[in-house]
Amino acid sequence: MTDENQRPEGRTGTAEDTRERLVSAALEVFLERGYSNTRVQDITRAAGFTTGALYAHFKNREEILAVALVREGERLVRNLAHQMENIDIGTDASIHL
């Protein structure tokens, strides 16, 4: 390798890219199969990684579920906030949750 910023052959993306792909794949597989029917190997296969890659970023399946739930919760809150910005509730309207 002549460029010191090049990655070794076969490695692409950053650690954050890998983590993101694993979380996205986990969400897909959890939704498709359910948490209790999802194995770590199902997640890594869907993401295109080895189980070692998953364990390099997460302690276990429970941790990747927790990260996925937080990420999706934050996404939902952002979407709701965006929708609320576009509502004209007027002075007499009330919001019921």
Side-chain angles (χ1 to χ4, degrees):
M1 279 189 281
T2 57
D3 182 350
E4 63 186 52
N5 292 325
Q6 282 183 320
R7 295 190 177 282
E9 190 172 315
R11 292 191 53 164
T12 59
T14 64
E16 188 57 38
D17 294 335
T18 300
R19 190 172 168 86
E20 177 60 30
R21 282 177 51 192
L22 287 164
V23 171
S24 293
L27 279 168
E28 287 179 27
V29 178
F30 290 148
L31 288 171
E32 180 182 305
R33 295 175 175 234
Y35 177 76
S36 61
N37 293 322
T38 298
R39 299 173 306 142
V40 166
Q41 293 83 358
D42 299 325
I43 297 168
T44 57
R45 187 176 304 117
F49 290 108
T50 64
T51 55
L54 185 138
Y55 288 119
H57 294 275
F58 302 97
K59 289 187 281 189
N60 50 37
R61 189 175 58 136
E62 291 82 10
E63 184 179 15
I64 198 168
L65 174 64
V67 170
L69 290 173
V70 167
R71 187 184 87 173
E72 285 303 292
E74 289 171 345
R75 184 186 62 79
L76 290 171
V77 168
R78 280 192 309 274
N79 287 345
L80 181 58
H82 178 72
Q83 290 176 16
M84 295 297 291
E85 289 172 357
N86 296 321
I87 294 175
D88 181 15
I89 59 173
T91 57
D92 294 328
S94 61
I95 297 174
H96 301 282
L97 298 177

